[in-house]
Amino acid sequence: MENLLSFFSFFILFLPYSMSSSSTYTFLQDHFINCGSNISFLVGGTTTFSGDLIADSHDSLSVNQPGLSGIYGTARVFNQTSPYTLPIQEIGVYIVRLHFFPFSNLFDAKFNVSASGFSLLSNYSVPKNVTFPVIKEFLFPVNGSNLNINFIPSQESSFAFVNAIEAFVTPQGFIPDSASHVTPQGISNNGKKGLSLSCLSVIHRINVGGLRIIPENDTMRRNWVPDDDYLFIKGAAKNHSMSSDWRPKYDPEGATKYDAPDFVYKTAKEINIDDTSKNLFNITWLFGVNKDATFFVRLHFCDIISISRNDTVFNVYIYGLFGQSIGPFDIIPLLAAPFYVDFVVDSDSSGFMNISVGPPNDLQPPPNAFLNGVEIMELINEREEENGQNKNRLLIIVGSTVGSVALALVFIVVILFCLKARKAKPVESIDGPMVNVYAGSTQTRTTIRTPIGSTTPDMNLRLKIPLTEILYATKKFDPKFMIGEGGFGKVYKGTLHNGVKVAVKRSQPGHDQGIMEFQTEITLLSKIRHLHLVSLIGYCDEGGEMILVYEFMEKGTLREHLYSSNEDLGKSSSRSELSWDRRLQICIGAAKGLSYLHTGLSEPIIHRDIKSTNILLDEHYVAKVSDFGLSKSGPNDQTHIDTGVKGSFGYLDPEYVISMQLTQKSDVYSFGVVLLEVLCARPAVDNKLRRNQMNLAEWGLSWLKKNQLEKIIDPLLAGKINPNSLRKFGETAEKCLQDAGTARPNMMDVLWDLKYALQLQNPAKPQEFHEDSATDVSWQMALPGINRLPSINLSTSFVSPSESEVFSQLRIDEAR
């Protein structure tokens, strides 16, 4: 990490710090529209929203709601595609805000909105339970003489509406043309270009360390919310603010009052050095974002912390991996001078983005870190062609390229003919037409091949399964047998020739998995045998494929039996039919698997991604831990592993997040979250709930401290849990969820406590036959055409996957 930060520090002078030109900028209020009304309203004492003065016609009409006044008491309703045409005085990047506050039957509206060739909203409808206005804000370039905002009713509702519109140009350079590009893996290339030509949708605008800032107190009528609800560990940070009459020292090379108001720069969060338990740890914020999307991120800084110049130097982290050194005095040689840093960030599949600030590793000068503000905007790539010029341009482009395409097709036909002539005879024919078999990512795959085409010629594990056997098992990867999809690719249910059911995980192009990680995964899992760990049956690497074959778990994931989650409906619901006894037995089984990983091998393994979707159940509801894609191993005498933060939000050990030191106790924390899932039958993180209920760990701990755990249990368990068993189970979860890893028990202690909770539930009930079995009979099954490993004792030496992460093929929330 030190080398990484040194590398980034070298490029400190090339950061896209604020270059906005505001000396000649004037905030114009020409296009503040009170839609559906001829009356103008003064809002907040500063801004006048003028009536739109559009006479009711066949394509739009004005509606109003008695009892509501101001800009939300009326609306313009469109019965067919209709534009607002706004003449503009200068080209540039515009901010457009659309205000929606439905009343009467306006809740039934569903529509699209486009402007300047960008699709701003698609099939949009205002949630029916809103009690306050919804404001959608966008930034995009306008190059013509008019700004057209098109409202397009969907066929489902046949109408669209809007209450008010704001549109105004931003200062020159307000959005840069490029910024550093960050991925969830921490990779930063030379930068993402073309930002000033893109459309941005505002997702978060945060006043760090301060109060809410209303539009009337912002230089461009923005709304800023406090950061406290987004803090991962609230005790790690404290607020720092300046007096009410203090003003930032704006510098020509820094930010301007239009980039953020004074209120943002006069407050900040800094490391809570007074709290010795959090001293020197990073401050981390978690922001909900759309999955697998791209975002423009602007971080605002103003050094109101340092006593003298050059006192504070710190690092900014995104996803815990990408690090950027921040030295305020190196950027602007003036204390309390605002500046900002821009990034383009790709989100992962978690639905969260984490941003941290923390001291450098060498702790020189005296450690501290701060942040004043955060803005996160999603890049909208979808464009919508407008009538006229764009369509004509499209026809010209298509016409001019037809000849080139035809010529290219001739070459393709010739090449395919040559390839067909050279195609080797299949190893074995199977019934039915063959399907295309796609190779994995070519970016990380070696080009060295053996005569038979194997990508893993040096692996003597005798676990290789012929591709024809896998094609037979999955009916040539028939989509109806697909049961999941994750970071590795798609997962299929299959049946081998001898009738054994398997889960087949198949690499897909673009999933960025490499041959070295593939080999490490096979090496690691082939040496692990335990009843409560999912077994690797074999692998296939023929024809450019990378495929892993596992035992099939008939009952699926633990989560499937606890609750269902429908993101489209925005809610989760209990669906469990598991008794309390069975839930305890499942937890005990998973604890046994984890305990074996931590203590049963010559080199312990830290799983690093324990969650309810990675605990699978066989036909007898025996729990087995799966998905070792993020696992780490190390010698027995190693107390922690320094590594970037990986895992799933809601389950992440807070100490690991802020220190980036992975320990076995990190698995213990994640398992504590799983225990609460089992008890409460709800997700670890639910963005649709109130802030104080969103995070299951925080919410559960709050009830545990009140000794009222019975109030949050799964309703299906009400009156069915022995109070002593519930008390012991709650105590176990609480111990697992302690902030400090040293205060948590090890997995062996957790296992003992869970067995005790089961005994308290049924003091006289004997154990089931398979509960303590150390042998998995599925390993004894002979598979046709598949060479098996000789028997391996559980105490066999573990082949270390080094310090690299093993193949992350099992990041599948719904896979079985």
Side-chain angles (χ1 to χ4, degrees):
M1 181 60 72
E2 291 181 0
N3 293 335
L4 177 67
L5 292 176
S6 298
F7 176 80
F8 287 130
S9 298
F10 176 79
F11 289 96
I12 193 71
L13 295 178
F14 299 97
L15 278 173
Y17 300 117
S18 126
M19 291 294 177
S20 296
S21 175
S22 62
S23 58
T24 59
Y25 173 74
T26 302
F27 177 60
L28 300 175
Q29 300 185 28
D30 292 347
H31 300 303
F32 284 72
I33 304 171
N34 181 23
C35 302
S37 174
N38 290 333
I39 301 173
S40 297
F41 278 99
L42 182 66
V43 177
T46 59
T47 305
T48 299
F49 282 73
S50 302
D52 55 13
L53 302 177
I54 300 177
D56 293 347
S57 64
H58 66 282
D59 59 356
S60 74
L61 60 112
S62 171
V63 296
N64 69 315
Q65 176 69 17
L68 288 178
S69 60
I71 61 175
Y72 298 115
T74 60
R76 177 65 56 184
V77 176
F78 305 96
N79 297 315
Q80 63 184 40
T81 299
S82 306
Y84 266 95
T85 300
L86 309 178
I88 62 173
Q89 300 182 16
E90 59 179 303
I91 62 174
V93 174
Y94 274 68
I95 289 180
V96 171
R97 297 191 187 104
L98 307 176
H99 296 250
F100 302 103
F101 189 54
F103 47 77
S104 188
N105 66 338
L106 295 184
F107 280 105
D108 298 328
K110 180 174 286 189
F111 52 92
N112 301 335
V113 180
S114 66
S116 197
F118 295 98
S119 178
L120 306 185
L121 296 173
S122 180
N123 285 326
Y124 179 72
S125 59
V126 180
K128 295 185 181 299
N129 59 346
V130 298
T131 57
F132 49 85
V134 176
I135 303 174
K136 296 291 185 179
E137 180 173 339
F138 307 91
L139 292 86
F140 53 84
V142 178
N143 299 317
S145 58
N146 292 318
L147 166 58
N148 291 322
I149 305 175
N150 303 296
F151 292 85
I152 309 161
S154 71
Q155 294 182 352
E156 183 176 343
S157 71
S158 301
F159 73 96
F161 82 98
V162 63
N163 298 86
I165 298 175
E166 303 176 53
F168 55 90
V169 70
T170 62
Q172 182 180 0
F174 186 76
I175 299 297
D177 185 62
S178 63
S180 296
H181 187 193
V182 182
T183 73
Q185 292 76 34
I187 302 171
S188 176
N189 56 24
N190 293 329
K192 183 82 170 181
K193 297 183 179 180
L195 290 176
S196 59
L197 302 177
S198 303
C199 180
L200 304 172
S201 174
V202 177
I203 306 298
H204 296 289
R205 186 172 282 127
I206 310 296
N207 180 27
V208 178
L211 303 175
R212 179 181 176 182
I213 302 173
I214 61 176
E216 287 69 34
N217 291 330
D218 181 90
T219 48
M220 291 198 295
R221 286 191 47 80
R222 291 163 293 202
N223 182 57
W224 302 73
V225 301
D227 69 302
D228 294 311
D229 288 337
Y230 301 91
L231 277 173
F232 188 72
I233 298 294
K234 293 179 171 57
K238 62 181 180 180
N239 292 338
H240 188 107
S241 61
M242 306 300 287
S243 62
S244 59
D245 59 349
W246 180 90
R247 293 292 179 270
K249 300 175 182 177
Y250 291 104
D251 186 89
E253 297 299 319
T256 74
K257 65 180 181 178
Y258 294 109
D259 296 314
D262 293 354
F263 293 101
V264 169
Y265 293 123
K266 69 194 304 180
T267 63
K269 276 281 195 309
E270 64 173 319
I271 291 179
N272 189 8
I273 298 177
D274 296 336
D275 184 348
T276 56
S277 65
K278 299 295 188 291
N279 191 18
L280 308 185
F281 285 164
N282 297 342
I283 310 172
T284 300
W285 294 264
L286 300 182
F287 299 104
V289 295
N290 286 331
K291 300 177 181 180
D292 303 315
T294 301
F295 298 86
F296 174 71
V297 177
R298 173 165 289 177
L299 305 180
H300 293 269
F301 301 94
C302 184
D303 192 356
I304 59 176
I305 306 297
S306 300
I307 299 175
S308 60
R309 296 187 302 184
N310 210 28
D311 266 5
T312 303
V313 177
F314 57 94
N315 301 322
V316 168
Y317 301 98
I318 299 178
Y319 286 113
L321 292 175
F322 175 88
Q324 173 64 65
S325 177
I326 301 292
F329 183 73
D330 295 331
I331 298 167
I332 300 175
L334 183 68
L335 275 178
F339 64 94
Y340 58 74
V341 185
D342 292 335
F343 301 100
V344 173
V345 181
D346 295 335
S347 65
D348 58 17
S349 59
S350 69
F352 287 90
M353 181 188 301
N354 75 68
I355 297 174
S356 306
V357 294
N361 292 344
D362 56 12
L363 303 182
Q364 296 294 330
N368 205 343
F370 65 87
L371 183 64
N372 300 75
V374 179
E375 293 181 271
I376 300 177
M377 311 176 194
E378 184 172 357
L379 271 71
I380 298 178
N381 296 319
E382 183 179 356
R383 299 186 67 93
E384 182 167 340
E385 295 293 339
E386 296 178 359
N387 294 330
Q389 183 178 358
N390 286 348
K391 287 189 177 180
N392 292 336
R393 186 185 299 116
L394 178 62
L395 291 175
I396 294 173
I397 293 173
V398 171
S400 65
T401 57
V402 167
S404 300
V405 171
L407 183 61
L409 287 175
V410 173
F411 281 106
I412 292 173
V413 171
V414 173
I415 292 172
L416 290 176
F417 178 81
C418 295
L419 289 176
K420 182 177 181 180
R422 297 175 59 187
K423 185 175 180 181
K425 183 179 179 180
V427 177
E428 178 183 335
S429 62
I430 57 178
D431 296 334
M434 290 292 292
V435 296
N436 291 326
V437 180
Y438 301 99
S441 173
T442 59
Q443 297 177 356
T444 57
R445 180 165 297 183
T446 176
T447 58
I448 301 175
R449 315 284 295 187
T450 67
I452 62 171
S454 172
T455 59
T456 57
D458 299 325
M459 295 183 62
N460 260 335
L461 296 178
R462 303 175 63 192
L463 293 173
K464 193 167 182 178
I465 301 177
L467 179 58
T468 52
E469 176 74 12
I470 292 175
L471 291 174
Y472 169 83
T474 61
K475 306 301 181 186
K476 304 162 194 166
F477 299 110
D478 189 328
K480 71 181 181 182
F481 290 108
M482 193 179 79
I483 56 175
E485 185 171 7
F488 176 60
K490 295 179 179 179
V491 185
Y492 298 84
K493 177 182 178 180
T495 305
L496 300 174
H497 273 98
N498 70 337
V500 174
K501 295 180 181 179
V502 292
V504 178
K505 296 176 171 55
R506 181 194 189 195
S507 170
Q508 291 283 6
H511 282 261
D512 299 326
Q513 304 297 339
I515 182 63
M516 295 304 297
E517 292 82 359
F518 180 57
Q519 292 175 340
T520 301
E521 179 79 359
I522 298 168
T523 303
L524 185 153
L525 292 178
S526 66
K527 296 297 181 73
I528 300 177
R529 295 190 183 187
H530 193 276
L531 172 63
H532 296 290
L533 300 177
V534 171
S535 302
L536 174 71
I537 290 178
Y539 72 93
C540 176
D541 63 345
E542 293 179 25
E545 290 279 359
M546 290 194 297
I547 298 172
L548 293 169
V549 181
Y550 292 84
E551 61 174 319
F552 181 72
M553 302 297 288
E554 188 71 37
K555 297 299 184 181
T557 69
L558 171 59
R559 198 198 80 165
E560 292 175 63
H561 295 272
L562 294 175
Y563 56 87
S564 61
S565 179
N566 189 325
E567 293 182 355
D568 295 329
L569 295 177
K571 63 181 181 180
S572 64
S573 60
S574 172
R575 54 167 289 186
S576 174
E577 297 179 359
L578 298 178
S579 66
W580 181 240
D581 285 50
R582 178 151 277 167
R583 297 190 202 201
L584 286 172
Q585 290 167 354
I586 290 170
C587 292
I588 288 170
K592 287 179 180 179
L594 274 177
S595 181
Y596 171 72
L597 291 176
H598 290 178
T599 61
L601 298 163
S602 59
E603 291 186 356
I605 298 175
I606 303 173
H607 188 280
R608 202 158 64 144
D609 199 19
I610 294 297
K611 55 184 177 181
S612 58
T613 52
N614 286 340
I615 297 174
L616 307 184
L617 307 176
D618 72 5
E619 66 272 21
H620 302 297
Y621 291 93
V622 174
K624 303 194 179 191
V625 177
S626 71
D627 195 342
F628 298 87
L630 299 180
S631 300
K632 286 282 190 177
S633 68
N636 283 322
D637 58 352
Q638 189 169 345
T639 59
H640 69 265
I641 301 172
D642 290 313
T643 180
V645 177
K646 287 290 186 66
S648 301
F649 287 111
Y651 301 88
L652 281 170
D653 168 17
E655 188 174 61
Y656 167 41
V657 170
I658 58 184
S659 69
M660 286 186 286
Q661 294 182 343
L662 180 68
T663 70
Q664 293 180 8
K665 298 298 183 70
S666 299
D667 281 351
V668 174
Y669 182 91
S670 301
F671 191 72
V673 180
V674 172
L675 294 181
L676 287 182
E677 277 188 277
V678 168
L679 180 67
C680 304
R682 57 145 288 186
V685 176
D686 191 338
N687 292 324
K688 304 302 187 296
L689 297 177
R690 297 177 181 176
R691 286 287 178 191
N692 64 341
Q693 299 178 5
M694 187 179 299
N695 185 287
L696 175 59
E698 292 182 2
W699 183 62
L701 282 174
S702 67
W703 287 97
L704 278 165
K705 291 175 181 177
K706 296 184 219 177
N707 293 318
Q708 296 178 327
L709 193 59
E710 68 281 357
K711 292 188 176 182
I712 62 170
I713 65 173
D714 183 353
L716 295 176
L717 296 176
K720 300 177 182 178
I721 304 179
N722 183 301
N724 291 326
S725 178
L726 179 61
R727 175 185 54 79
K728 188 61 183 178
F729 188 88
E731 289 176 357
T732 306
E734 186 174 17
K735 287 188 290 185
C736 291
L737 295 172
Q738 295 302 302
D739 284 344
T742 55
R744 300 173 203 148
N746 58 42
M747 281 309 304
M748 188 63 72
D749 292 333
V750 174
L751 176 58
W752 191 94
D753 286 343
L754 290 173
K755 286 185 175 181
Y756 186 38
L758 180 60
Q759 183 179 355
L760 290 171
Q761 179 70 12
N762 298 295
K765 183 177 179 179
Q767 291 181 330
E768 293 187 18
F769 168 75
H770 53 72
E771 182 181 348
D772 284 317
S773 174
T775 304
D776 187 351
V777 295
S778 66
W779 279 93
Q780 311 304 324
M781 297 178 181
L783 302 179
I786 302 172
N787 293 321
R788 308 302 300 153
L789 269 176
S791 178
I792 299 177
N793 188 280
L794 290 180
S795 61
T796 187
S797 297
F798 172 73
V799 178
S800 170
S802 311
E803 285 300 313
S804 65
E805 286 130 7
V806 294
F807 195 37
S808 58
Q809 90 289 359
L810 291 173
R811 305 237 11 160
I812 305 170
D813 283 348
E814 304 300 332
R816 299 183 180 181

